[in-house]
Amino acid sequence: MMPETPDLDELRRSVAGAVLGPDDAGYDAARRCFNALVDRRPAVIARCAGTGDVAAAFDFARAHGLEVAVRGGGHNPAGHCVLDGGLVIDLSTMRTVEVDAGTRIARAAGGATWLDFDAATQAYGLVTPGGVVGSTGVAGLTFGGGIGHLTAQHGLTCDNLVGAELVTPDGSVVHAGLDGHAELLWALRGGGGNFGVATRLEFRLHALDRVVGGQLAFRGKDVSEALRRFRDIVAGSPSDLSCQAIIGVDEALEPAVIAAPCYSGSEADPAELRALRSAPGLVEDGVRSHGFLDQQLVFDSPYGENRHYWKGHFVRELPDELLDELVARIVALGRPPGGILIESLHGAPKDVDGDAGALGFRQAAFNVSATAIWQDAALDAESIGWARETAAVLEPWSVSGGYANYMQADEPIERVRAAFGDEAFERLRALKRRYDPGNVLRRNQNIPPG
Ligand SMILES: Cc1cc2nc3c(=O)[nH]c(=O)nc-3n(C[C@H](O)[C@H](O)[C@H](O)COP(=O)(O)OP(=O)(O)OC[C@H]3O[C@@H](n4cnc5c(N)ncnc54)[C@H](O)[C@@H]3O)c2cc1C
């Protein structure tokens, strides 16, 4: 049965935030998500202003038989933040970040982005390891794990999550922390937006203001050698150096590698960084001492302009033959943008007790993702095929399932289960039965209750 056309004025009377329907100005901008491949028309977008609004939006959706999507930063490549015909709980105006410098705790509202978060915490010379693109949502990224420029130093973002306030689909407000609903806190560390809408997240902070970082660009026939150097350096690197790499092609369709180190130690000229900066094929060295806010600008990505399809694997190692194959795959794609992202998981993620959170990829060496990016709809099939085939090349070295934060909506449940492992997946299902037994929150990498 199709849901009735809801009376939006009824919702407007019960929430403090704006309510947008298809006829309202701003509707098209509000339904746009990061991935231009996703073009959906919700019946209503509720721009929530607080916990009361979120509960009212859940009530309204239930009363009118509307499916629900939750929007933070709108970055999820699967486009889970928007849906056809349903109700979007949009947190994009709930962006406040409060910093308690004394206890080194930050409290971020449910729709805060990393730009909001870093700007607030850096005012005190403090930081939590977050994402590398400022417009990504803090909550969405954290609930999937969180890999970035400070992963080696301070762990995954979710390792630094110490509490959260959630509105569950029945309208209850729950605080998850070590002193109550601790099992829910465990689930939020990797288990996604399955259990409620977070209106506040609390993070542990660390002292940091300046880092040595930026981009190193490598081109031409030596890029395979540069990749080997990157792999060997990060594998043996101390935890004061995080580093990611992207393999792509330049305008001349030559293979190109960008490495983005982030060093936070005290040495003036650390050996690992020196070795990386002298790798073969270097054409541009943009590494310098700068503020952490500048490091957070090293990668940028236009919002809503490009079509995206990402697929990857956590791998236990990156042998030479695999690196060579990845370079060959990017050359075969033969057009920028898009590439293969390699994120190292060395350092602090390995020091955390594996039972502190639900995620199951902590022991992997690298997260490797084929990120197809294009604009012309005529290239949809080719681009999606390329990402899938490139991910298949990685499969023999795969550990755990894929990275929930990068998964498309077409990933089968077996892959979501594999991302956690059987035991953690069943534990997550038990929590889903407790906090969202009706699976209202299913527009995500879903943990079904039954
Ligand atoms: C350009 C780009 C850069 C990225 N960089 C990184 C990176 O550096 N590191 C990394 O680990 N990941 C990164 N990601 C992946 C990103 O972390 C995930 O896609 C994440 O889901 C995005 O969260 P969001 O709030 O921006 O997205 P949305 O699409 O708004 O939300 C995604 C899902 O998160 C859940 N969610 C969001 N907010 C809440 C909330 N307040 N309460 C409950 N559930 C919520 C919902 O299930 C929602 O469907 C990047 C993605 C993109 C497109």
Side-chain angles (χ1 to χ4, degrees):
M1 194 178 75
M2 287 289 287
E4 65 190 281
T5 305
D7 172 9
L8 301 191
D9 286 336
E10 182 194 327
L11 182 60
R12 286 190 179 103
R13 283 191 292 274
S14 57
V15 297
V19 170
L20 299 174
D23 299 330
D24 292 313
Y27 171 82
D28 277 327
R31 71 183 181 85
R32 206 159 68 117
C33 72
F34 184 86
N35 187 354
L37 194 58
V38 177
D39 178 15
R40 302 192 188 123
R41 301 185 65 80
V44 51
I45 299 169
R47 287 234 154 113
C48 296
T51 52
D53 281 6
V54 174
F58 273 130
D59 283 350
F60 185 81
R62 195 181 320 108
H64 295 277
L66 295 170
E67 207 184 324
V68 170
V70 179
R71 179 195 191 88
H75 268 235
N76 198 281
H80 286 312
C81 67
V82 66
L83 77 180
D84 279 324
L87 179 146
V88 176
I89 295 182
D90 180 340
L91 304 163
S92 61
T93 55
M94 292 173 60
R95 308 262 291 267
T96 310
V97 180
E98 291 166 8
V99 179
D100 184 335
T103 57
R104 290 202 174 171
I105 294 289
R107 294 180 182 84
T113 64
W114 283 105
L115 192 57
D116 302 325
F117 191 93
D118 293 332
T121 58
Q122 277 292 283
Y124 298 89
L126 296 170
V127 75
T128 263
V132 301
V133 173
S135 53
T136 314
V138 169
L141 179 138
T142 304
F143 292 162
I147 305 168
H149 288 306
L150 294 173
T151 302
Q153 287 90 337
H154 297 300
L156 302 163
T157 309
C158 70
D159 296 338
N160 294 272
L161 180 73
V162 294
E165 178 187 78
L166 264 76
V167 182
T168 56
D170 67 358
S172 309
V173 179
V174 176
H175 186 268
L178 287 176
D179 51 357
H181 297 274
E183 181 76 352
L184 181 56
L185 178 62
W186 169 85
L188 295 177
R189 292 173 173 159
N194 271 287
F195 310 97
V197 170
T199 43
R200 196 178 64 233
L201 294 94
E202 295 153 17
F203 293 94
R204 190 184 305 123
L205 297 168
H206 312 267
L208 181 81
D209 51 11
R210 292 190 78 73
V211 296
V212 177
Q215 283 194 2
L216 298 168
F218 303 87
R219 292 228 171 109
K221 62 178 176 36
D222 286 330
V223 296
S224 291
E225 201 45 48
L227 279 171
R228 286 166 172 64
R229 182 81 64 98
F230 156 77
R231 172 200 61 196
D232 296 341
I233 287 168
V234 293
S237 155
S239 57
D240 50 16
L241 175 68
S242 290
C243 194
Q244 306 189 351
I246 299 174
I247 317 172
V249 286
D250 60 17
E251 296 72 28
L253 307 186
E254 288 287 313
V257 167
I258 299 286
C262 178
Y263 174 74
S264 58
S266 54
E267 283 182 48
D269 186 21
E272 292 79 15
L273 207 45
R274 198 168 55 244
L276 198 57
R277 296 173 87 168
S278 58
L282 184 76
V283 291
E284 211 177 304
D285 184 341
V287 169
R288 62 192 184 281
S289 170
H290 57 191
F292 182 68
L293 288 177
D294 289 325
Q295 179 68 16
Q296 289 291 76
L297 299 176
V298 165
F299 290 121
D300 201 7
S301 211
Y303 194 98
E305 288 177 20
N306 292 318
R307 302 162 94 81
H308 289 256
Y309 188 96
W310 300 5
K311 194 170 173 84
H313 286 275
F314 289 102
V315 297
R316 72 181 85 86
E317 57 175 332
L318 276 176
D320 288 356
E321 66 266 33
L322 177 56
L323 289 176
D324 292 346
E325 176 75 18
L326 293 178
V327 172
R329 294 276 326 151
I330 199 79
V331 172
L333 176 67
R335 58 178 157 77
I340 298 167
L341 171 65
I342 307 179
E343 295 163 303
S344 173
L345 294 173
H346 71 280
K350 303 285 186 283
D351 300 334
V352 174
D353 172 9
D355 202 37
L359 57 82
F361 60 79
R362 191 177 292 290
Q363 290 315 318
F366 295 95
N367 184 29
V368 187
S369 309
T371 59
I373 305 174
W374 70 104
Q375 288 196 335
D376 182 355
L379 294 174
D380 284 1
E382 180 194 308
S383 305
I384 292 169
W386 176 83
R388 287 180 177 156
E389 285 158 21
T390 305
V393 166
L394 296 161
E395 215 164 333
W397 288 274
S398 167
V399 284
S400 169
Y403 186 30
N405 267 349
Y406 297 168
M407 280 184 185
Q408 301 296 148
D410 57 6
E411 294 284 5
I413 186 163
E414 293 74 29
R415 194 131 196 266
V416 180
R417 176 186 274 273
F420 300 103
D422 287 342
E423 198 183 322
F425 191 73
E426 287 310 320
R427 213 168 138 187
L428 288 167
R429 285 179 100 160
L431 287 160
K432 183 75 173 175
R433 286 193 285 277
R434 176 167 175 196
Y435 293 102
D436 181 20
N439 205 8
V440 172
L441 296 166
R442 58 179 175 275
R443 291 260 164 186
N444 46 34
Q445 277 71 34
N446 195 231
I447 315 247

